[in-house]
Amino acid sequence: MVQPLKIGLLGLGTVGTSTAGILRSPQGRHPSLTDIEIAKVGVKTLDKRRAIEFPTGVLTTDLEGIVSDPNIDVIVELIGGLEPARSLILKAIANQKHVVTANKAVISRYGEEIYRAAEQANVYVLMEAAVGGGIPIIRPLQQTLSVNRIQTVLGIINGTTNYILTKMAAEGSDFSDVLTEAQELGYAEADPSADVDGYDAADKIAILATLAFGQQVNLEDVSCEGIRQVSAVDIQYAEQLGFEIKLLAIAQQDETGLQARVHPTLVPKDHPLASIDGVNNAILVEGDPIGQVMFYGPGAGGGATASAVVSDLMNLATMVHTSNLVNPLFKIPQHPSSRLVPTQELVTRFYARLICVDRPGVIGNLGTCFGKHDVSLESIVQIDFKNGLAEIVVVTHNVKEQKFREALAEIPQLEAIEQIEIPSVLRVLREK
Ligand code: NAP
């Protein structure tokens, strides 16, 4: 008879409760779930009402005790945040325990340290739930897709911002109104910065880029812009020009090198990511020879995220029970950090909205200025006219970011341009 895999569950919140729920009701699921047993559950306070009851002595606030308990095989870290999560993971590894975590913040900052420690201790750290919630993306990148030369990983990997942008587009509402509504509905946190400023998506793309390109991508090298500056007017103009605005996380290997960035992006309406609406997530992977593969589904939520957590546990149970503990497919590549392409050198397309006095020669002057800086324009259109001011929208072809910024900086000095304002500059998904 196989010995059950004994787990110490750290955290019994949204994801922890759903994880315990799946393990407590194995009927109709994979048979090896019955080989997993919750030995201890660590929480902050014992006074809370819990959706799941445990036998006396299982629930504890002594998390240090759990990670050093010799009867526990695997630590499932679901407390979130940086500390004490990082220290508890490292202590569990030092005590020869495997770790399953959903903590993208810890993995994106301390992944290298954690995976080196795990390598030395010959244990596994699995993290399917850290990116994309219930969507399988970590294991496909580590295993199934890893024989391809990956060119691009493009993702809508933050449900809150995708919900806000979808609502803004559907209702023509402003960012701040939709954010307030999302907070009331529980789709956005009281402090929304991690989501709306792009930091959550940056954590996740740093992890995906490390896996996809086999090189450590450091979080501090990921350039990050959020959606606060996206206005209802830009969404409307983008729509007229055939685009949706999405917060994209992009990791790309091209002629300039490796890039990883997060920013609002105009996506052509016929692109597969343009139709991803609401809180859903999607990740498009492009590689050679496979072409495009898209992963789509619920990027958060207790049940969806717990599905990914328990799938990691099941893999560990299988490996432990077959004594197959040298499975190289679960190791993270340990190549040194690579220098990412600086933003100024990126090649992408741009959308800019300009407002200036409506005078003859304005469009011609702008066109000449962009041409002088090697910026090739796909379109330049006067979209609106109010109180003597013209509103002009420019969309470029692929261009080096530095060249585009140089052209923008020169516009106020042009002869025909008066009272210039440039309220929006957004990137457009680059052409092949
Ligand atoms: P949560 O609902 O806030 O639950 C956190 C749990 O950890 C609670 O049970 C809390 O104890 C416990 N805890 C927190 N700090 C602790 C400490 N210092 N000592 C002991 N216990 C502590 O969090 P969650 O939403 O389940 O998220 C857990 C992890 O999953 C995070 O890393 C998050 O990023 C990740 N994740 C979440 C989702 C999602 O949809 N929620 C999706 C993907 C990934 P008490 O119950 O006693 O307060």
Side-chain angles (χ1 to χ4, degrees), residues 242-295:
F243 298 99
E244 300 282 342
I245 300 184
K246 298 288 181 192
L247 183 70
L248 288 196
I250 303 173
Q252 198 161 35
Q253 178 92 58
D254 65 11
E255 66 286 353
T256 56
L258 180 60
Q259 331 161 1
R261 54 207 165 91
V262 172
H263 49 68
T265 312
L266 275 74
V267 180
K269 281 179 189 238
D270 59 359
H271 189 276
L273 290 175
S275 54
I276 306 302
D277 284 340
V279 292
N280 284 314
N281 281 197
I283 301 135
L284 184 81
V285 182
E286 287 179 316
D288 175 41
I290 191 156
Q292 291 190 335
V293 186
M294 188 152 107
F295 300 82

Side-chain angles (χ1 to χ4, degrees), residues 19-190:
T19 298
I22 296 177
L23 292 172
R24 283 289 189 84
S25 69
Q27 307 82 355
R29 310 188 202 275
H30 196 282
S32 61
L33 290 194
T34 52
D35 299 334
I36 302 169
E37 185 184 302
I38 300 174
K40 288 273 178 193
V41 179
V43 289
K44 205 179 215 169
T45 165
L46 294 175
D47 301 337
K48 263 190 193 171
R49 266 179 82 92
R50 305 282 172 184
I52 296 186
E53 284 190 10
F54 293 93
T56 315
V58 170
L59 215 59
T60 172
T61 53
D62 180 14
L63 278 70
E64 298 273 343
I66 299 180
V67 297
S68 50
D69 184 336
N71 294 317
I72 287 176
D73 305 301
V74 182
I75 293 299
V76 182
E77 184 279 304
L78 298 173
I79 62 177
L82 296 181
E83 287 294 350
R86 169 185 159 273
S87 304
L88 289 166
I89 289 173
L90 287 170
K91 274 185 195 149
I93 292 169
N95 289 322
Q96 303 278 296
K97 297 184 197 314
H98 305 290
V99 173
V100 171
T101 179
N103 196 328
K104 67 236 150 197
V106 160
I107 295 294
S108 64
R109 286 165 186 77
Y110 306 112
E112 208 173 1
E113 178 188 24
I114 287 170
Y115 278 91
R116 276 191 203 290
E119 185 105 80
Q120 277 184 357
N122 204 22
V123 295
Y124 289 98
V125 176
L126 304 189
M127 48 153 180
E128 186 58 69
V131 182
I135 304 172
I137 182 63
I138 300 291
R139 209 165 305 136
L141 283 178
Q142 273 178 315
Q143 299 186 352
T144 340
L145 296 174
S146 63
V147 296
N148 290 275
R149 244 175 248 124
I150 304 295
Q151 293 136 355
T152 317
V153 179
L154 276 182
I156 294 175
I157 46 181
N158 180 272
T160 304
T161 44
N162 204 47
Y163 171 85
I164 292 173
L165 291 172
T166 305
K167 270 268 187 186
M168 286 173 72
E171 297 171 359
S173 323
D174 279 319
F175 168 78
S176 52
D177 295 339
V178 180
L179 173 62
T180 308
E181 195 188 315
Q183 285 168 321
E184 281 161 11
L185 290 169
Y187 290 145
E189 305 276 338

Side-chain angles (χ1 to χ4, degrees), residues 211-356:
L211 294 176
F213 299 105
Q215 301 167 41
Q216 179 62 41
V217 171
N218 295 324
L219 180 63
E220 61 269 22
D221 296 332
V222 177
S223 75
C224 178
E225 283 171 31
I227 63 164
R228 287 184 201 266
Q229 85 277 23
V230 177
S231 69
V233 169
D234 291 314
I235 291 180
Q236 185 200 326
Y237 290 167
E239 152 91 10
Q240 285 172 21
L241 294 165
F243 298 99
E244 300 282 342
I245 300 184
K246 298 288 181 192
L247 183 70
L248 288 196
I250 303 173
Q252 198 161 35
Q253 178 92 58
D254 65 11
E255 66 286 353
T256 56
L258 180 60
Q259 331 161 1
R261 54 207 165 91
V262 172
H263 49 68
T265 312
L266 275 74
V267 180
K269 281 179 189 238
D270 59 359
H271 189 276
L273 290 175
S275 54
I276 306 302
D277 284 340
V279 292
N280 284 314
N281 281 197
I283 301 135
L284 184 81
V285 182
E286 287 179 316
D288 175 41
I290 191 156
Q292 291 190 335
V293 186
M294 188 152 107
F295 300 82
Y296 167 76
T305 310
S307 155
V309 170
V310 179
S311 82
D312 279 345
L313 282 170
M314 205 183 76
N315 270 303
L316 275 175
T318 312
M319 286 195 288
V320 169
H321 290 143
T322 56
S323 303
N324 179 15
L325 274 179
V326 283
N327 187 344
L329 293 173
F330 283 110
K331 300 283 181 194
I332 270 210
Q334 296 276 323
H335 300 298
S337 312
S338 53
R339 174 188 164 272
L340 298 193
V341 178
T343 308
Q344 291 297 304
E345 286 173 35
L346 288 179
V347 174
T348 185
R349 298 170 71 196
F350 284 92
Y351 158 103
R353 181 160 58 91
L354 305 94
I355 299 172
C356 62

